[in-house]
Amino acid sequence: MKPFIYFSLILLLLACEKAEPIHSIQPSVENLEKSDANTSPDVSAINNNYKIHCEGPCDCGLEGNTTDHVSCKCEECVMIIERDGKRFELVDAEIEIPFLKDFYQHISENYKESDDISITEIEIQTSGESKAVRFDYLVNKLVADDVIIVSERGGKTYKVSCDGTCDCRSRFEFDPPAASCSCEDCVLTVESID
Protein backbone atom coordinates (compact mmCIF):
# COMPACT_ATOMS: atom_id res chain seq x y z
CA MET A 1 0.00 0.00 0.00
CA LYS A 2 2.92 2.36 0.66
CA PRO A 3 4.04 2.33 -3.02
CA PHE A 4 0.51 3.33 -4.06
CA ILE A 5 0.52 6.24 -1.59
CA TYR A 6 4.03 7.24 -2.74
CA PHE A 7 2.91 7.13 -6.36
CA SER A 8 -0.22 9.20 -5.61
CA LEU A 9 2.00 11.91 -4.08
CA ILE A 10 4.27 11.87 -7.14
CA LEU A 11 1.29 12.24 -9.49
CA LEU A 12 -0.02 15.12 -7.39
CA LEU A 13 3.34 16.86 -7.65
CA LEU A 14 3.55 16.18 -11.40
CA ALA A 15 0.04 17.54 -11.95
CA CYS A 16 0.96 20.78 -10.21
CA GLU A 17 4.00 21.51 -12.37
CA LYS A 18 3.64 23.42 -15.61
CA ALA A 19 5.18 21.79 -18.68
CA GLU A 20 5.69 23.11 -22.19
CA PRO A 21 3.20 21.98 -24.85
CA ILE A 22 4.14 19.07 -27.08
CA HIS A 23 5.84 20.20 -30.32
CA SER A 24 6.77 16.85 -31.89
CA ILE A 25 3.35 16.13 -33.39
CA GLN A 26 3.01 15.50 -37.13
CA PRO A 27 0.92 17.96 -39.18
CA SER A 28 -2.76 17.43 -38.52
CA VAL A 29 -4.82 15.24 -40.81
CA GLU A 30 -8.19 15.43 -39.10
CA ASN A 31 -9.42 18.17 -36.79
CA LEU A 32 -11.60 17.08 -33.92
CA GLU A 33 -14.48 19.11 -32.57
CA LYS A 34 -13.35 21.77 -30.13
CA SER A 35 -15.71 22.42 -27.25
CA ASP A 36 -16.84 26.01 -26.76
CA ALA A 37 -16.17 25.50 -23.04
CA ASN A 38 -12.43 25.23 -23.79
CA THR A 39 -12.28 28.93 -24.65
CA SER A 40 -13.48 30.19 -21.26
CA PRO A 41 -10.86 32.22 -19.35
CA ASP A 42 -11.05 30.12 -16.18
CA VAL A 43 -9.86 26.90 -17.86
CA SER A 44 -6.59 25.66 -16.41
CA ALA A 45 -3.65 26.00 -18.79
CA ILE A 46 -1.59 23.29 -17.11
CA ASN A 47 -0.13 20.82 -19.62
CA ASN A 48 1.39 17.54 -18.51
CA ASN A 49 2.95 14.68 -20.42
CA TYR A 50 4.34 11.56 -18.82
CA LYS A 51 5.08 7.96 -19.78
CA ILE A 52 4.70 4.75 -17.79
CA HIS A 53 6.37 1.40 -18.51
CA CYS A 54 8.00 -1.51 -16.68
CA GLU A 55 11.62 -2.74 -16.71
CA GLY A 56 13.19 -5.89 -15.36
CA PRO A 57 14.57 -9.36 -16.14
CA CYS A 58 11.18 -10.95 -17.03
CA ASP A 59 8.45 -10.13 -19.59
CA CYS A 60 7.85 -6.72 -18.00
CA GLY A 61 4.79 -5.36 -19.73
CA LEU A 62 1.95 -3.57 -18.02
CA GLU A 63 -1.27 -5.42 -17.31
CA GLY A 64 -4.63 -4.01 -16.37
CA ASN A 65 -7.36 -5.21 -14.09
CA THR A 66 -11.08 -4.51 -13.87
CA THR A 67 -10.68 -1.44 -11.64
CA ASP A 68 -8.86 0.82 -14.16
CA HIS A 69 -5.44 0.12 -12.61
CA VAL A 70 -2.26 -1.23 -14.20
CA SER A 71 0.73 -2.93 -12.63
CA CYS A 72 3.82 -4.70 -13.92
CA LYS A 73 3.28 -8.29 -15.04
CA CYS A 74 5.85 -9.90 -12.77
CA GLU A 75 7.33 -9.21 -9.34
CA GLU A 76 10.88 -8.66 -10.65
CA CYS A 77 9.73 -5.60 -12.64
CA VAL A 78 10.08 -1.97 -11.61
CA MET A 79 7.46 0.53 -12.79
CA ILE A 80 9.07 3.56 -14.43
CA ILE A 81 7.40 6.97 -14.71
CA GLU A 82 9.20 9.51 -16.92
CA ARG A 83 8.42 13.20 -17.16
CA ASP A 84 10.56 16.12 -18.36
CA GLY A 85 13.71 13.99 -18.27
CA LYS A 86 13.02 12.88 -14.70
CA ARG A 87 12.64 9.21 -13.91
CA PHE A 88 10.77 7.72 -10.97
CA GLU A 89 11.07 4.01 -10.11
CA LEU A 90 8.28 2.28 -8.17
CA VAL A 91 8.36 -1.27 -6.83
CA ASP A 92 5.15 -3.28 -6.50
CA ALA A 93 3.04 -0.34 -7.72
CA GLU A 94 -0.50 -0.18 -9.05
CA ILE A 95 -1.58 2.97 -10.89
CA GLU A 96 -4.99 4.18 -11.98
CA ILE A 97 -5.06 4.88 -15.73
CA PRO A 98 -7.79 6.88 -17.50
CA PHE A 99 -9.63 5.09 -20.34
CA LEU A 100 -8.27 1.61 -19.54
CA LYS A 101 -11.73 0.11 -20.09
CA ASP A 102 -11.95 1.90 -23.47
CA PHE A 103 -8.57 0.42 -24.40
CA TYR A 104 -9.74 -3.12 -23.59
CA GLN A 105 -12.95 -2.48 -25.55
CA HIS A 106 -10.77 -1.51 -28.55
CA ILE A 107 -8.78 -4.74 -28.10
CA SER A 108 -11.91 -6.91 -27.97
CA GLU A 109 -13.27 -5.24 -31.14
CA ASN A 110 -10.05 -5.61 -33.16
CA TYR A 111 -8.33 -8.82 -32.00
CA LYS A 112 -9.20 -12.43 -31.33
CA GLU A 113 -9.69 -13.58 -27.76
CA SER A 114 -6.72 -15.95 -28.19
CA ASP A 115 -4.34 -13.08 -29.11
CA ASP A 116 -1.79 -12.20 -26.42
CA ILE A 117 -1.94 -8.42 -25.85
CA SER A 118 0.80 -6.84 -23.73
CA ILE A 119 0.85 -3.10 -22.96
CA THR A 120 4.45 -1.89 -23.41
CA GLU A 121 3.98 1.81 -22.58
CA ILE A 122 1.28 4.28 -21.63
CA GLU A 123 1.67 7.98 -22.38
CA ILE A 124 -0.71 10.41 -20.69
CA GLN A 125 -1.11 14.00 -21.93
CA THR A 126 -3.32 16.55 -20.25
CA SER A 127 -4.24 20.10 -21.18
CA GLY A 128 -6.51 21.73 -18.66
CA GLU A 129 -9.35 19.26 -18.19
CA SER A 130 -8.73 17.45 -21.52
CA LYS A 131 -6.83 14.14 -21.61
CA ALA A 132 -5.21 11.94 -24.23
CA VAL A 133 -3.89 8.50 -23.31
CA ARG A 134 -1.79 6.54 -25.81
CA PHE A 135 -1.54 2.80 -25.25
CA ASP A 136 1.43 1.15 -27.00
CA TYR A 137 1.09 -2.62 -27.07
CA LEU A 138 2.37 -5.85 -28.61
CA VAL A 139 0.14 -8.43 -30.24
CA ASN A 140 1.40 -12.00 -29.74
CA LYS A 141 4.82 -10.54 -28.78
CA LEU A 142 5.50 -9.67 -32.45
CA VAL A 143 3.40 -6.83 -33.85
CA ALA A 144 3.58 -3.36 -32.27
CA ASP A 145 0.45 -1.23 -32.37
CA ASP A 146 -1.08 1.72 -30.54
CA VAL A 147 -4.36 3.54 -29.93
CA ILE A 148 -5.09 6.93 -28.37
CA ILE A 149 -8.21 7.65 -26.32
CA VAL A 150 -8.99 11.37 -26.09
CA SER A 151 -11.48 13.16 -23.85
CA GLU A 152 -12.12 16.86 -24.35
CA ARG A 153 -13.33 19.19 -21.61
CA GLY A 154 -16.78 19.35 -23.18
CA GLY A 155 -17.25 15.62 -22.54
CA LYS A 156 -16.66 14.13 -26.01
CA THR A 157 -14.43 11.05 -26.14
CA TYR A 158 -12.64 9.79 -29.26
CA LYS A 159 -10.53 6.81 -30.27
CA VAL A 160 -7.62 7.57 -32.62
CA SER A 161 -5.82 4.78 -34.48
CA CYS A 162 -3.69 4.32 -37.60
CA ASP A 163 -3.33 1.27 -39.85
CA GLY A 164 -1.00 0.66 -42.79
CA THR A 165 2.09 -1.05 -44.15
CA CYS A 166 4.65 1.33 -42.63
CA ASP A 167 5.35 1.68 -38.90
CA CYS A 168 2.06 3.53 -38.31
CA ARG A 169 1.89 5.47 -35.06
CA SER A 170 -1.06 7.55 -33.90
CA ARG A 171 -0.49 11.20 -33.00
CA PHE A 172 -2.65 13.76 -31.20
CA GLU A 173 -2.30 17.41 -30.24
CA PHE A 174 -4.62 19.60 -28.18
CA ASP A 175 -4.44 23.09 -29.68
CA PRO A 176 -6.21 22.94 -32.01
CA PRO A 177 -7.45 19.38 -31.39
CA ALA A 178 -6.00 17.33 -34.26
CA ALA A 179 -5.11 13.70 -34.95
CA SER A 180 -2.63 12.33 -37.47
CA CYS A 181 -0.47 9.34 -38.37
CA SER A 182 3.31 9.01 -38.43
CA CYS A 183 3.64 8.20 -42.15
CA GLU A 184 1.73 8.71 -45.42
CA ASP A 185 0.88 5.03 -46.00
CA CYS A 186 -1.27 4.99 -42.85
CA VAL A 187 -5.04 5.23 -42.73
CA LEU A 188 -6.25 7.45 -39.87
CA THR A 189 -9.40 6.44 -38.02
CA VAL A 190 -11.07 8.78 -35.52
CA GLU A 191 -14.20 7.40 -33.86
CA SER A 192 -16.45 8.97 -31.28
CA ILE A 193 -16.95 6.56 -28.38
CA ASP A 194 -19.55 8.51 -26.40
Side-chain angles (χ1 to χ4, degrees):
M1 193 61 157
K2 286 183 183 177
F4 182 73
I5 292 170
Y6 176 71
F7 175 72
S8 298
L9 291 173
I10 290 173
L11 280 183
L12 181 62
L13 290 173
L14 292 176
C16 293
E17 292 181 22
K18 186 172 181 179
E20 293 299 315
I22 301 168
H23 296 290
S24 62
I25 305 297
Q26 298 290 326
S28 65
V29 173
E30 182 164 329
N31 289 327
L32 302 179
E33 219 174 283
K34 188 168 185 174
S35 170
D36 291 337
N38 280 339
T39 59
S40 66
D42 61 353
V43 173
S44 171
I46 295 175
N47 295 305
N48 287 302
N49 181 10
Y50 55 97
K51 296 180 181 182
I52 303 165
H53 67 278
C54 293
E55 293 179 0
C58 59
D59 180 20
C60 281
L62 291 161
E63 65 181 353
N65 60 33
T66 59
T67 62
D68 292 337
H69 288 76
V70 294
S71 58
C72 294
K73 281 185 172 181
C74 49
E75 292 180 16
E76 298 86 12
C77 295
V78 174
M79 187 175 288
I80 308 297
I81 301 172
E82 295 180 34
R83 182 170 183 273
D84 296 333
K86 297 175 186 167
R87 178 182 165 110
F88 303 93
E89 296 183 3
L90 303 174
V91 177
D92 194 25
E94 186 175 271
I95 300 174
E96 184 173 354
I97 301 293
F99 313 125
L100 191 60
K101 289 180 182 177
D102 295 314
F103 167 72
Y104 282 118
Q105 180 65 35
H106 168 77
I107 295 301
S108 69
E109 292 170 357
N110 292 284
Y111 298 97
K112 296 181 277 189
E113 194 173 316
S114 60
D115 286 331
D116 177 29
I117 307 297
S118 177
I119 303 171
T120 55
E121 183 175 84
I122 296 172
E123 180 177 2
I124 302 173
Q125 301 174 52
T126 61
S127 178
E129 293 179 30
S130 300
K131 292 180 191 151
V133 180
R134 187 176 80 210
F135 296 90
D136 290 330
Y137 57 95
L138 285 176
V139 180
N140 297 322
K141 299 182 182 180
L142 297 173
V143 179
D145 205 349
D146 73 346
V147 65
I148 300 173
I149 310 294
V150 179
S151 173
E152 294 181 328
R153 182 174 186 243
K156 293 195 180 257
T157 304
Y158 301 93
K159 178 172 68 171
V160 177
S161 60
C162 293
D163 293 306
T165 56
C166 63
D167 183 26
C168 290
R169 308 300 290 164
S170 305
R171 305 281 186 238
F172 179 79
E173 65 181 272
F174 283 111
D175 195 20
S180 65
C181 295
S182 59
C183 53
E184 291 181 18
D185 294 338
C186 298
V187 175
L188 174 67
T189 304
V190 177
E191 300 175 51
S192 176
I193 56 176
D194 286 336

